[in-house]
Amino acid sequence: MGTKRVNFRLPEELITHADIAAEITHKNRTELLVEALRQYLEEIESEEKFREAVVDLYLDDQIEFGILVDIIGRQDAEAVRASKEVLDRGEELADKLADL
């Protein structure tokens, strides 16, 4: 997996605490932030409410299927994709019936 440089601002106090933690754990600041972000994402991605919001983003075509798979898992993502296809076909069918 590749990496990408990002720039963002942090409160000075948080940076100080992170630097102390990095020194104690013999990690650099980046390793510490990556580990903290991974832990946060694991926690939030296991919450049902978050997962439902991700499914909504997929159903609204705001995220791609691969991202959905990464977050909710392949089996659940396949079920969501199948439901989306049925819903999309239902709308087409309703439009055709309305034209009759």
Side-chain angles (χ1 to χ4, degrees):
M1 179 178 288
T3 60
K4 186 175 186 178
R5 177 179 287 276
V6 294
N7 295 315
F8 53 93
R9 296 181 178 276
L10 294 172
E12 287 183 30
E13 178 183 324
L14 191 56
I15 294 170
T16 300
H17 285 231
D19 286 345
I20 290 169
E23 185 174 331
I24 291 171
T25 59
H26 305 288
K27 296 178 180 176
N28 64 42
R29 187 186 289 166
T30 298
E31 291 170 328
L32 195 75
L33 293 174
V34 167
E35 186 176 308
L37 184 56
R38 281 193 175 127
Q39 286 178 350
Y40 171 77
L41 291 173
E42 278 183 29
E43 286 177 24
I44 197 168
E45 289 173 357
S46 67
E47 293 177 8
E48 191 62 30
K49 191 174 182 179
F50 180 84
R51 295 168 61 88
E52 289 173 4
V54 171
V55 168
D56 288 343
L57 290 176
Y58 174 72
L59 294 175
D60 290 340
D61 296 321
Q62 295 183 38
I63 63 171
E64 296 180 8
F65 181 72
I67 295 171
L68 182 66
V69 170
D70 289 345
I71 296 175
I72 70 169
R74 176 152 305 275
Q75 187 173 2
D76 289 342
E78 291 289 351
V80 170
R81 179 163 63 182
S83 297
K84 184 178 186 327
E85 289 174 3
V86 169
L87 290 171
D88 290 346
R89 277 190 260 143
E91 289 179 17
E92 288 175 27
L93 181 59
D95 289 342
K96 287 180 183 176
L97 291 173
D99 290 340
L100 294 179

